[in-house]
Amino acid sequence: MEEIPACVLSTGRGAVRGLPFHFHSLAIAPEHMLSAAADARFHGGAPRRRRPRLRSCLASPPASGGGGGDCRESEKARRLLVERYQDGVSKRYILDGNSKLQIHQEKNEYMVNTLEEEEEDANSSIPRAIKDFVLPAGFPGSVSDDYLEYMLWQLPTNVTGWICHTLVTSTLLKLLWDKIRLTQAVGVGSFTGTSAAASAAAIRWVSKDGIGAFGRLLIGGRFGTLFDDDPKKWRMYADFIGSAGSIFELITPLYPGYFLPLASLGNLAKAVGRGFRDPSFRVIQNHFAESGNLGEVAAKEEVWEVGAQLLGLSIGVFIMDTSGIKSSYPTLALTWLGVRLLHLWFRYQSLSVLKFRTVNLKRARILVRSHVAKHTVPDYVTCNEEENILTWERFLHPQISFGVPMERMLGEEESSDVVDRLLKLYRNEKYILFLNPIGTGGAAFFVTFKEAATSMSVLRSLWQAHWLDKNQLKQDDVFSWLEESVLALEHGFPDFLKQMEIAGWDQNQIILKVPKEPILYTTTSLQHFS
C-alpha cells in the first residue's frame, strides 16, 4: 500500500476572485487523524478516494550523512503553508529545526484542485484559454445573468454594422477620387493641380467631421439626464439616427455637387447617434459589472467589438469587390439597405435580452398596473420581457403628465375653492394629482410635485392614476372620485411595496426622477421665505 504523508490539508480557496494560486494551511497530524467517517463528513457523505502521493523530503538536507533517516528528520520540521498555482506548481514554506525558513518548489499534476476543474468543465463547454480571453474573470458569477446572451447577440450586430460602414465609406472615397481625377482632366494635370485637388478633398472630409462633432457636443450638454432612466430605448434610437446619417452619405454620389452639405448632414446625424449611443452603453456596462469590475467588462467588450470589426471589414471588402456591386450603384444601395435592416433587427434582439433590476417609469407602470389589477407584482425578468423598448412615455396608457403647472391642471376651474380642496386632499402627499373629464380615450392625469418630493412620490402618483383608470366611476363629482382613490392609495400602496419585496425588487433602485420645475410650495413651506 502506498504511503500517505502525515499531514492534513484544509482546502479553503482564497476569497478574492482571480488569484493565480490556492492557499492551504498545513498541520502536522498522525495518519489516523482523518478517519473515513470524518472524510465522508467533509465530502458529501461518501469517503473520498485519495490519490497516492510519493513521499518526498521537505526539510533541508541534514548536516551529516545518514541516508535512511532524512525523511524522518524532515517530519520534525514545522510546515507553515503551501501555495498552489493553476499549472500544478506548489511552493512549500517550512521552518526547519534551526528556525530557518525553507522554500521547496515542485510540480505535480495532482496538486491542482481537481474538484474545481471538474466543476468548471461540467458547467462550461468553452475552452479555458478562450474563456479567459473573451469573458471577465470569475464568469458567470462576476457579471449579470444576461451578459453572455447579450454579447452573443452583439457579435452579429457589430459585424453587420461594420459591413454597412465599409459600403458607405467606400462610396464617399470613390466620389472624392473621381473629383480629383476630374480636376486633372480639365487641364490642371500637373503636380500642383493634383495637390490642390487633394487638399480640397481633404478639407471637405475634415469639414464634415468638424460639423458632425457639434452633434455630440449638443447631446452631451443638453440631454445627459436621459440615459440612466431608459438606456435600452436610447441605445436603439441611436442606431436609428445613425442609419439616417448613413443614408445622407450614401446618396452623395447622386448629387456630387452637394457633397459637403450632404456628407456633413450625414456626419452630424451619426455624431448625434454616437452621443446617444455611448452614454447608454456605459449604463449597460455598469449593469453587467455586478462585482464592481466595470473596467474589465469594458475591456472584454472591446475584444468582442474588435473581433466583430475585423470580420465585418473583411466581409465588407469582399462585398465591395463583387463585380455586380462594384459596377452598379443601385445594387450597392440595396445591399446596404438589406444589411442595415438586419443590423437593426440584431440590435433590437440584443437589447431585448437585457434584464435590469432598476425601476424606471416604464417598468414602474408595469408593476403598478399588475398590482392594481391582480394584487401581484412580477419579478424583474418578467417585467423586462413585457417592457416595450421603442415606446415613448407620452403614448403609454393611461396618459399621465408630470410637472404640470397648476394653471394648466385646473383648466377652466380656476377658483380658490378648487385649489383649497386639492391642498387639503393631498396634505399628506408630496404631489397633487388632478384629471380632465373622461373622454373617449379615458381620463388624462396631471401631476405636479411639492418640495421634497422623491422617487417614491412619483411611484405613489402612478399607483393612484392607474387605480383611477381601472375604477372609472360614473359620477359627476370629480373630488369624490379623487377622495376614494386617495383612500385606496393609503390602504393599497403598503401591500404594493410588500409585493415588490417578495418579487425581488430593491426599493433603493427606484429611479423615478421628479421634474425640476415647477415645484409647488405650500403655505407651510412659504413661511421659511417670509
Side-chain angles (χ1 to χ4, degrees), residues 219-309:
I219 296 302
R222 180 64 181 85
F223 301 102
T225 59
L226 297 176
F227 307 107
D228 291 316
D229 296 340
D230 201 350
K232 291 193 282 187
K233 180 182 75 174
W234 294 114
R235 184 65 187 90
M236 191 70 229
Y237 278 113
D239 261 17
F240 287 139
I241 298 172
S243 300
S246 295
I247 291 176
F248 283 112
E249 293 180 336
L250 195 64
I251 64 176
T252 51
L254 301 179
Y255 307 97
Y258 296 95
F259 172 84
L260 184 58
L262 286 176
S264 298
L265 188 59
N267 213 41
L268 176 63
K270 291 169 71 174
V272 171
R274 284 195 298 272
F276 283 110
R277 179 195 67 190
D278 293 343
S280 301
F281 189 61
R282 295 296 177 270
V283 179
I284 295 173
Q285 285 181 329
N286 190 63
H287 158 72
F288 290 143
E290 289 196 343
S291 301
N293 54 343
L294 179 59
E296 187 179 18
V297 168
K300 296 304 182 183
E301 192 276 334
E302 285 293 318
V303 174
W304 289 76
E305 167 68 21
V306 172
Q309 178 182 357

XYZ file of all heavy atoms in Angstrom, residues 219-309:
708
model
N -25.642 66.833 -27.637
C -26.290 65.749 -26.892
C -25.728 65.648 -25.480
O -26.472 65.532 -24.495
C -26.121 64.418 -27.636
C -26.847 64.470 -28.991
C -26.670 63.266 -26.791
C -28.318 64.761 -28.887
N -24.396 65.693 -25.360
C -23.790 65.556 -24.043
C -24.168 66.677 -23.090
O -24.369 66.455 -21.891
N -24.295 67.905 -23.613
C -24.605 69.027 -22.743
C -26.080 69.204 -22.445
O -26.445 69.664 -21.363
N -26.929 68.813 -23.389
C -28.360 69.112 -23.248
C -29.186 67.929 -22.756
O -30.162 68.104 -22.034
C -28.901 69.587 -24.605
C -30.374 69.931 -24.622
C -30.678 71.127 -23.713
N -32.086 71.446 -23.702
C -32.992 70.873 -22.924
N -32.613 69.904 -22.094
N -34.246 71.232 -22.956
N -28.810 66.708 -23.122
C -29.681 65.564 -22.844
C -29.005 64.511 -21.961
O -29.337 63.333 -22.033
C -30.114 64.907 -24.161
C -30.850 65.829 -25.084
C -30.205 66.395 -26.178
C -32.163 66.163 -24.852
C -30.871 67.256 -27.032
C -32.841 67.026 -25.696
C -32.195 67.579 -26.794
N -28.067 64.939 -21.127
C -27.331 63.979 -20.313
C -28.166 63.253 -19.277
O -27.775 62.183 -18.807
N -29.310 63.810 -18.905
C -30.132 63.191 -17.846
C -31.040 62.080 -18.360
O -31.744 61.450 -17.559
C -31.005 64.270 -17.173
O -31.846 64.887 -18.162
C -30.134 65.348 -16.530
N -31.054 61.820 -19.655
C -31.999 60.859 -20.211
C -31.567 59.411 -20.040
O -32.400 58.517 -19.925
C -32.204 61.136 -21.711
C -32.809 62.485 -22.107
C -32.825 62.597 -23.624
C -34.206 62.645 -21.541
N -30.256 59.165 -20.035
C -29.769 57.824 -20.317
C -29.882 56.870 -19.139
O -30.012 55.664 -19.336
C -28.317 57.910 -20.797
C -28.150 58.863 -21.950
C -27.532 60.087 -21.775
C -28.650 58.550 -23.189
C -27.392 60.974 -22.821
C -28.523 59.421 -24.244
C -27.900 60.640 -24.061
N -29.835 57.367 -17.913
C -29.953 56.470 -16.762
C -31.344 55.863 -16.657
O -31.498 54.738 -16.178
C -29.633 57.232 -15.467
C -28.158 57.606 -15.375
O -27.325 56.748 -15.688
O -27.856 58.758 -15.023
N -32.365 56.601 -17.092
C -33.742 56.116 -16.956
C -34.045 54.962 -17.909
O -34.634 53.962 -17.508
C -34.731 57.259 -17.221
C -34.602 58.367 -16.196
O -34.061 58.091 -15.106
O -35.017 59.492 -16.479
N -33.660 55.105 -19.165
C -34.061 54.118 -20.175
C -32.943 53.913 -21.195
O -33.058 54.318 -22.351
C -35.333 54.584 -20.883
C -36.080 53.435 -21.539
O -35.522 52.328 -21.611
O -37.230 53.647 -21.989
N -31.840 53.278 -20.801
C -30.724 53.100 -21.736
C -31.066 52.213 -22.928
O -30.505 52.394 -24.011
C -29.630 52.470 -20.870
C -30.364 51.836 -19.733
C -31.556 52.700 -19.482
N -31.981 51.265 -22.740
C -32.339 50.389 -23.866
C -32.995 51.183 -24.992
O -32.679 50.996 -26.176
C -33.273 49.269 -23.377
C -32.591 48.267 -22.476
C -33.433 47.027 -22.261
C -34.537 47.251 -21.274
N -35.247 45.990 -20.936
N -33.902 52.062 -24.631
C -34.589 52.853 -25.655
C -33.623 53.760 -26.397
O -33.618 53.797 -27.633
C -35.701 53.684 -25.008
C -36.460 54.548 -26.007
C -37.532 55.389 -25.330
C -36.935 56.561 -24.584
N -37.972 57.461 -24.034
N -32.781 54.477 -25.659
C -31.886 55.434 -26.306
C -30.785 54.746 -27.086
O -30.296 55.279 -28.088
C -31.310 56.387 -25.265
C -32.364 57.250 -24.656
C -32.795 57.253 -23.361
C -33.165 58.225 -25.343
N -33.796 58.165 -23.184
C -34.050 58.779 -24.379
C -33.221 58.690 -26.653
C -34.970 59.768 -24.700
C -34.144 59.677 -26.970
C -34.994 60.205 -26.008
N -30.389 53.541 -26.676
C -29.408 52.794 -27.482
C -30.019 52.372 -28.807
O -29.339 52.377 -29.851
C -28.929 51.558 -26.699
C -27.829 50.768 -27.431
C -26.595 51.608 -27.559
N -25.584 50.967 -28.388
C -25.489 51.125 -29.703
N -26.358 51.889 -30.339
N -24.536 50.532 -30.387
N -31.293 52.022 -28.795
C -31.971 51.646 -30.032
C -32.175 52.851 -30.937
O -31.935 52.798 -32.147
C -33.317 50.996 -29.697
C -33.997 50.315 -30.884
S -33.140 48.824 -31.408
C -33.022 49.090 -33.162
N -32.585 53.972 -30.355
C -32.788 55.178 -31.159
C -31.464 55.712 -31.703
O -31.439 56.359 -32.758
C -33.489 56.252 -30.326
C -34.982 56.058 -30.257
C -35.610 55.727 -29.073
C -35.770 56.184 -31.401
C -36.976 55.529 -29.007
C -37.124 55.990 -31.348
C -37.734 55.665 -30.156
O -39.094 55.450 -30.105
N -30.375 55.461 -31.003
C -29.063 55.863 -31.513
C -28.771 55.176 -32.843
O -28.204 55.791 -33.767
C -27.982 55.524 -30.496
N -29.173 53.913 -32.970
C -28.964 53.206 -34.238
C -29.880 53.729 -35.334
O -29.489 53.783 -36.505
C -29.177 51.707 -34.040
C -27.865 50.970 -33.872
O -26.854 51.644 -33.592
O -27.838 49.741 -34.015
N -31.098 54.107 -34.978
C -31.989 54.697 -35.982
C -31.416 56.013 -36.512
O -31.412 56.267 -37.728
C -33.376 54.949 -35.380
C -34.178 53.700 -35.167
C -34.943 53.527 -34.020
C -34.190 52.688 -36.110
C -35.685 52.373 -33.814
C -34.927 51.528 -35.922
C -35.675 51.372 -34.771
N -30.914 56.853 -35.611
C -30.355 58.143 -36.024
C -29.089 57.930 -36.852
O -28.869 58.597 -37.874
C -30.068 59.006 -34.786
C -31.366 59.304 -34.035
C -29.388 60.315 -35.183
C -31.161 59.980 -32.693
N -28.244 56.985 -36.431
C -27.047 56.683 -37.208
C -27.370 56.147 -38.592
O -26.670 56.452 -39.566
N -28.442 55.364 -38.703
C -28.856 54.854 -40.020
C -29.300 55.988 -40.921
O -28.995 55.995 -42.128
C -29.994 53.839 -39.847
O -29.580 52.753 -39.053
N -30.017 56.970 -40.359
C -30.424 58.129 -41.156
C -29.208 58.899 -41.651
O -29.164 59.372 -42.804
C -31.323 59.040 -40.316
N -28.179 59.033 -40.793
C -26.959 59.705 -41.224
C -26.264 58.967 -42.353
O -25.742 59.600 -43.295
N -26.252 57.655 -42.294
C -25.626 56.871 -43.365
C -26.377 57.030 -44.683
O -25.764 56.988 -45.759
C -25.573 55.397 -42.966
O -24.730 55.210 -41.837
N -27.681 57.226 -44.617
C -28.459 57.427 -45.854
C -28.028 58.711 -46.539
O -27.855 58.750 -47.774
C -29.966 57.445 -45.523
C -30.427 56.050 -45.083
C -30.775 57.920 -46.722
C -31.870 55.996 -44.650
N -27.823 59.787 -45.755
C -27.355 61.038 -46.356
C -26.002 60.845 -47.036
O -25.756 61.371 -48.127
C -27.253 62.133 -45.285
C -28.567 62.713 -44.888
C -29.078 62.490 -43.617
C -29.304 63.485 -45.772
C -30.297 63.018 -43.243
C -30.531 64.019 -45.402
C -31.026 63.785 -44.130
N -25.119 60.102 -46.406
C -23.805 59.866 -47.012
C -23.911 58.979 -48.242
O -23.166 59.153 -49.209
C -22.874 59.222 -45.985
C -22.524 60.139 -44.822
C -21.596 59.477 -43.835
O -21.572 58.214 -43.771
O -20.897 60.199 -43.110
N -24.849 58.037 -48.192
C -24.965 57.088 -49.297
C -25.493 57.744 -50.569
O -25.185 57.282 -51.682
C -25.877 55.933 -48.868
C -25.854 54.673 -49.744
C -24.480 54.029 -49.693
C -26.919 53.687 -49.278
N -26.284 58.806 -50.452
C -26.858 59.432 -51.649
C -25.966 60.535 -52.215
O -26.340 61.179 -53.201
C -28.257 60.008 -51.351
C -28.169 61.143 -50.312
C -29.204 58.912 -50.905
C -29.497 61.823 -50.051
N -24.797 60.770 -51.638
C -23.908 61.810 -52.183
C -23.497 61.541 -53.627
O -23.342 62.503 -54.395
C -22.655 61.959 -51.300
O -22.068 60.667 -51.078
C -23.001 62.594 -49.969
N -23.304 60.277 -54.067
C -22.973 60.077 -55.490
C -24.079 60.534 -56.434
O -23.807 60.846 -57.602
C -22.742 58.565 -55.594
C -22.363 58.143 -54.224
C -23.164 59.010 -53.317
N -25.324 60.581 -55.971
C -26.414 61.045 -56.830
C -26.382 62.561 -56.999
O -26.884 63.087 -58.000
C -27.759 60.613 -56.229
C -27.964 59.107 -56.029
C -29.330 58.837 -55.397
C -27.832 58.362 -57.360
N -25.815 63.268 -56.026
C -25.718 64.735 -56.081
C -24.287 65.141 -55.738
O -24.023 65.691 -54.655
C -26.711 65.374 -55.100
C -28.130 64.893 -55.288
C -28.639 63.860 -54.494
C -28.947 65.469 -56.253
C -29.938 63.417 -54.659
C -30.255 65.025 -56.416
C -30.738 63.990 -55.619
O -32.024 63.547 -55.789
N -23.335 64.863 -56.621
C -21.921 65.131 -56.296
C -21.626 66.598 -56.040
O -20.702 66.920 -55.299
C -21.182 64.614 -57.541
C -22.210 64.578 -58.624
C -23.511 64.292 -57.965
N -22.409 67.489 -56.616
C -22.170 68.908 -56.389
C -22.510 69.337 -54.971
O -22.072 70.403 -54.525
N -23.284 68.520 -54.251
C -23.671 68.839 -52.869
C -22.966 67.899 -51.887
O -23.521 67.536 -50.850
C -25.186 68.706 -52.704
C -25.973 69.680 -53.538
C -26.453 69.315 -54.793
C -26.223 70.974 -53.083
C -27.170 70.209 -55.570
C -26.940 71.870 -53.852
C -27.407 71.484 -55.096
O -28.109 72.384 -55.866
N -21.744 67.523 -52.237
C -21.019 66.575 -51.385
C -20.885 67.091 -49.957
O -21.202 66.379 -48.995
C -19.627 66.295 -51.964
C -18.757 65.488 -51.051
C -18.839 64.110 -51.024
C -17.857 66.105 -50.176
C -18.050 63.363 -50.169
C -17.063 65.369 -49.314
C -17.159 63.989 -49.325
N -20.404 68.325 -49.804
C -20.134 68.841 -48.458
C -21.398 68.950 -47.606
O -21.412 68.467 -46.462
C -19.423 70.186 -48.547
C -18.988 70.787 -47.201
C -18.066 69.825 -46.468
C -18.298 72.132 -47.403
N -22.497 69.558 -48.100
C -23.684 69.633 -47.230
C -24.290 68.269 -46.913
O -24.699 68.012 -45.773
C -24.662 70.517 -48.015
C -24.177 70.500 -49.414
C -22.703 70.318 -49.346
N -24.322 67.366 -47.918
C -24.904 66.047 -47.667
C -24.035 65.233 -46.714
O -24.539 64.616 -45.761
C -25.088 65.293 -48.988
C -26.235 65.762 -49.889
C -26.236 64.991 -51.198
C -27.575 65.588 -49.180
N -22.716 65.229 -46.980
C -21.819 64.456 -46.112
C -21.786 65.044 -44.705
O -21.725 64.304 -43.716
C -20.417 64.428 -46.711
N -21.843 66.366 -44.609
C -21.829 66.996 -43.288
C -23.115 66.695 -42.526
O -23.095 66.432 -41.313
C -21.656 68.510 -43.425
O -20.424 68.820 -44.036
N -24.244 66.730 -43.225
C -25.516 66.413 -42.579
C -25.529 64.960 -42.108
O -26.003 64.652 -41.007
C -26.669 66.676 -43.548
C -28.085 66.571 -42.975
C -28.272 67.555 -41.834
C -29.116 66.827 -44.069
N -24.995 64.081 -42.959
C -24.913 62.679 -42.562
C -24.014 62.479 -41.363
O -24.345 61.720 -40.431
N -22.873 63.165 -41.366
C -21.954 63.020 -40.242
C -22.528 63.636 -38.968
O -22.280 63.153 -37.859
C -20.617 63.673 -40.585
C -19.447 62.951 -39.950
O -19.410 61.719 -39.919
N -18.497 63.695 -39.427
N -23.304 64.703 -39.129
C -23.959 65.310 -37.971
C -24.945 64.335 -37.341
O -24.987 64.166 -36.113
C -24.669 66.593 -38.393
C -25.491 67.296 -37.309
C -24.586 67.758 -36.173
C -26.257 68.481 -37.901
N -25.752 63.687 -38.187
C -26.720 62.718 -37.671
C -26.011 61.541 -36.995
O -26.430 61.077 -35.920
C -27.619 62.222 -38.801
N -24.929 61.063 -37.585
C -24.190 59.951 -36.988
C -23.534 60.363 -35.679
O -23.443 59.565 -34.736
C -23.148 59.431 -37.979
C -23.767 58.732 -39.182
C -22.755 58.466 -40.269
C -21.782 57.396 -39.887
N -20.875 57.044 -41.013
N -23.079 61.625 -35.605
C -22.495 62.113 -34.354
C -23.553 62.213 -33.263
O -23.290 61.901 -32.097
C -21.831 63.466 -34.583
N -24.753 62.652 -33.635
C -25.854 62.685 -32.663
C -26.155 61.262 -32.187
O -26.393 61.028 -30.991
C -27.090 63.346 -33.287
C -28.303 63.177 -32.374
C -26.840 64.825 -33.544
N -26.144 60.317 -33.125
C -26.356 58.922 -32.753
C -25.300 58.422 -31.781
O -25.609 57.726 -30.812
N -24.034 58.797 -32.025
C -22.975 58.410 -31.088
C -23.173 59.070 -29.733
O -22.846 58.489 -28.690
C -21.606 58.778 -31.662
C -21.120 57.851 -32.757
C -19.641 58.048 -33.022
N -19.334 59.399 -33.493
C -19.352 59.774 -34.759
N -19.689 58.897 -35.700
N -19.044 61.002 -35.101
N -23.692 60.308 -29.753
C -23.966 60.985 -28.490
C -25.006 60.258 -27.651
O -24.944 60.271 -26.415
N -25.981 59.617 -28.303
C -26.963 58.799 -27.586
C -26.403 57.417 -27.263
O -26.737 56.821 -26.235
C -28.232 58.642 -28.423
C -29.123 59.842 -28.413
C -29.277 60.622 -29.551
C -29.807 60.207 -27.279
C -30.090 61.736 -29.552
C -30.634 61.315 -27.260
C -30.775 62.088 -28.403
N -25.548 56.899 -28.151
C -25.070 55.520 -28.010
C -24.114 55.344 -26.841
O -24.301 54.442 -26.011
C -24.371 55.101 -29.307
C -23.787 53.694 -29.295
C -22.814 53.512 -30.441
N -21.620 54.343 -30.270
C -20.703 54.507 -31.219
N -20.862 53.951 -32.394
N -19.638 55.266 -30.982
N -23.100 56.180 -26.765
C -22.034 55.959 -25.787
C -22.518 56.049 -24.342
O -22.231 55.143 -23.539
C -20.889 56.942 -26.043
C -20.178 56.679 -27.367
O -20.357 55.571 -27.909
O -19.464 57.569 -27.856
N -23.264 57.094 -23.939
C -23.742 57.118 -22.539
C -24.688 55.961 -22.218
O -24.645 55.409 -21.113
C -24.462 58.467 -22.428
C -23.916 59.292 -23.538
C -23.631 58.339 -24.638
N -25.530 55.599 -23.185
C -26.458 54.481 -22.947
C -25.691 53.190 -22.712
O -26.024 52.401 -21.818
C -27.403 54.313 -24.145
O -28.146 55.485 -24.370
N -24.653 52.977 -23.519
C -23.894 51.740 -23.366
C -23.089 51.724 -22.077
O -22.845 50.659 -21.507
C -22.981 51.531 -24.572
C -22.329 50.176 -24.574
C -23.104 49.028 -24.632
C -20.957 50.050 -24.512
C -22.516 47.773 -24.620
C -20.359 48.807 -24.504
C -21.135 47.661 -24.559
N -22.674 52.892 -21.585
C -21.983 52.926 -20.292
C -22.915 52.445 -19.177
O -22.485 51.749 -18.247
C -21.498 54.352 -19.986
C -20.447 54.875 -20.926
C -19.154 54.095 -20.857
N -18.185 54.585 -21.819
C -18.047 54.146 -23.058
N -18.841 53.168 -23.487
N -17.140 54.641 -23.866
N -24.186 52.821 -19.264
C -25.160 52.351 -18.268
C -25.327 50.838 -18.372
O -25.408 50.131 -17.354
C -26.516 53.061 -18.468
C -27.538 52.558 -17.455
C -26.354 54.568 -18.336
N -25.358 50.316 -19.592
C -25.497 48.870 -19.791
C -24.269 48.143 -19.247
O -24.392 47.095 -18.591
C -25.709 48.566 -21.281
C -27.045 49.149 -21.748
C -25.668 47.066 -21.543
C -27.279 49.040 -23.244
N -23.081 48.675 -19.496
C -21.867 48.056 -18.961
C -21.873 48.048 -17.436
O -21.470 47.058 -16.817
C -20.634 48.805 -19.476
C -20.294 48.525 -20.929
C -19.051 49.259 -21.380
O -18.751 50.351 -20.895
N -18.323 48.682 -22.309
N -22.327 49.137 -16.850
C -22.399 49.195 -15.391
C -23.397 48.172 -14.852
O -23.205 47.612 -13.767
C -22.801 50.605 -14.958
C -22.661 50.809 -13.466
O -21.574 50.737 -12.912
N -23.780 51.058 -12.801
N -24.452 47.914 -15.612
C -25.419 46.881 -15.226
C -24.770 45.499 -15.221
O -25.046 44.679 -14.339
C -26.603 46.918 -16.196
C -27.383 45.649 -16.268
N -28.207 45.211 -15.254
C -27.462 44.694 -17.251
C -28.768 44.063 -15.598
N -28.326 43.727 -16.791
N -23.881 45.231 -16.175
C -23.207 43.939 -16.231
C -22.240 43.741 -15.065
O -22.079 42.628 -14.569
C -22.426 43.808 -17.545
C -23.290 43.674 -18.762
C -22.926 44.275 -19.958
C -24.471 42.957 -18.719
C -23.712 44.159 -21.084
C -25.277 42.833 -19.843
C -24.895 43.438 -21.030
N -21.574 44.815 -14.636
C -20.469 44.715 -13.674
C -21.000 44.559 -12.257
O -20.883 45.468 -11.428
C -19.571 45.939 -13.794
N -21.561 43.414 -11.945
C -22.131 43.187 -10.621
C -21.056 43.057 -9.542
O -21.340 43.236 -8.370
C -23.008 41.939 -10.634
C -24.314 42.114 -11.394
C -25.313 41.033 -11.064
O -24.882 39.996 -10.521
O -26.515 41.221 -11.337
N -19.831 42.724 -9.923
C -18.748 42.575 -8.955
C -17.880 43.821 -8.871
O -16.767 43.754 -8.349
C -17.872 41.364 -9.330
O -18.636 40.185 -9.363
N -18.367 44.936 -9.416
C -17.566 46.152 -9.429
C -16.435 46.112 -10.438
O -15.493 46.910 -10.342
N -16.517 45.195 -11.402
C -15.452 45.018 -12.399
C -15.795 45.723 -13.700
O -15.728 45.138 -14.789
C -15.219 43.522 -12.652
C -16.493 42.782 -13.035
O -17.600 43.282 -12.825
N -16.348 41.597 -13.592
N -16.170 47.004 -13.606
C -16.581 47.751 -14.791
C -15.454 47.863 -15.804
O -15.679 47.746 -17.015
C -17.057 49.146 -14.373
C -17.510 50.080 -15.501
C -18.658 49.463 -16.286
C -17.917 51.436 -14.938
N -14.230 48.091 -15.334
C -13.106 48.208 -16.263
C -12.885 46.934 -17.057
O -12.645 46.973 -18.266
N -12.983 45.787 -16.398
C -12.777 44.523 -17.106
C -13.920 44.232 -18.064
O -13.699 43.735 -19.175
C -12.627 43.382 -16.103
C -12.236 42.071 -16.775
C -12.070 40.939 -15.784
O -12.570 41.063 -14.647
O -11.467 39.924 -16.150
N -15.148 44.553 -17.665
C -16.287 44.368 -18.570
C -16.106 45.206 -19.829
O -16.343 44.744 -20.951
C -17.604 44.731 -17.849
C -18.752 44.838 -18.847
C -17.937 43.692 -16.787
N -15.648 46.449 -19.657
C -15.415 47.312 -20.817
C -14.282 46.772 -21.682
O -14.352 46.826 -22.916
C -15.096 48.734 -20.345
N -13.229 46.242 -21.039
C -12.104 45.700 -21.809
C -12.527 44.477 -22.608
O -12.145 44.319 -23.782
C -10.955 45.351 -20.865
N -13.300 43.588 -22.013
C -13.754 42.397 -22.743
C -14.721 42.768 -23.854
O -14.762 42.108 -24.901
C -14.426 41.417 -21.775
C -13.488 40.857 -20.724
C -12.275 40.182 -21.330
C -11.381 39.578 -20.262
N -10.149 38.985 -20.828
N -15.500 43.842 -23.650
C -16.378 44.299 -24.726
C -15.560 44.750 -25.925
O -15.971 44.554 -27.071
C -17.256 45.438 -24.199
C -18.407 45.823 -25.112
C -17.998 46.793 -26.203
O -17.018 47.529 -25.989
O -18.632 46.803 -27.284
N -14.393 45.346 -25.667
C -13.502 45.744 -26.757
C -13.015 44.529 -27.528
O -12.847 44.585 -28.751
C -12.307 46.523 -26.192
C -12.635 47.940 -25.776
C -12.984 48.812 -26.968
O -12.305 48.697 -28.002
O -13.945 49.595 -26.871
N -12.770 43.433 -26.828
C -12.333 42.206 -27.504
C -13.408 41.745 -28.490
O -13.126 41.425 -29.651
C -12.014 41.106 -26.474
C -11.707 39.787 -27.165
C -10.846 41.531 -25.597
N -14.661 41.701 -28.023
C -15.767 41.305 -28.903
C -15.927 42.303 -30.053
O -16.144 41.917 -31.202
C -17.062 41.232 -28.098
C -17.146 40.096 -27.137
C -16.513 39.999 -25.926
C -17.897 38.883 -27.274
N -16.828 38.823 -25.319
C -17.674 38.116 -26.107
C -18.740 38.383 -28.256
C -18.271 36.872 -25.912
C -19.353 37.140 -28.059
C -19.109 36.401 -26.903
N -15.809 43.591 -29.738
C -16.006 44.636 -30.743
C -14.937 44.578 -31.827
O -15.240 44.656 -33.030
C -15.996 46.010 -30.063
C -15.888 47.193 -31.005
C -17.112 47.382 -31.866
O -18.187 46.871 -31.492
O -16.995 48.032 -32.912
N -13.678 44.422 -31.428
C -12.603 44.371 -32.412
C -12.704 43.106 -33.266
O -12.475 43.141 -34.481
C -11.237 44.453 -31.704
C -10.093 44.212 -32.684
C -11.060 45.807 -31.034
N -13.051 41.992 -32.638
C -13.249 40.771 -33.426
C -14.349 40.940 -34.460
O -14.207 40.531 -35.617
N -15.461 41.563 -34.045
C -16.558 41.824 -34.988
C -16.128 42.821 -36.055
O -16.517 42.699 -37.225
C -17.776 42.345 -34.236
N -15.317 43.806 -35.680
C -14.848 44.799 -36.650
C -13.997 44.144 -37.739
O -14.189 44.414 -38.933
C -14.040 45.878 -35.938
C -13.468 46.932 -36.869
C -12.640 47.960 -36.129
O -12.534 47.914 -34.909
N -12.056 48.880 -36.851
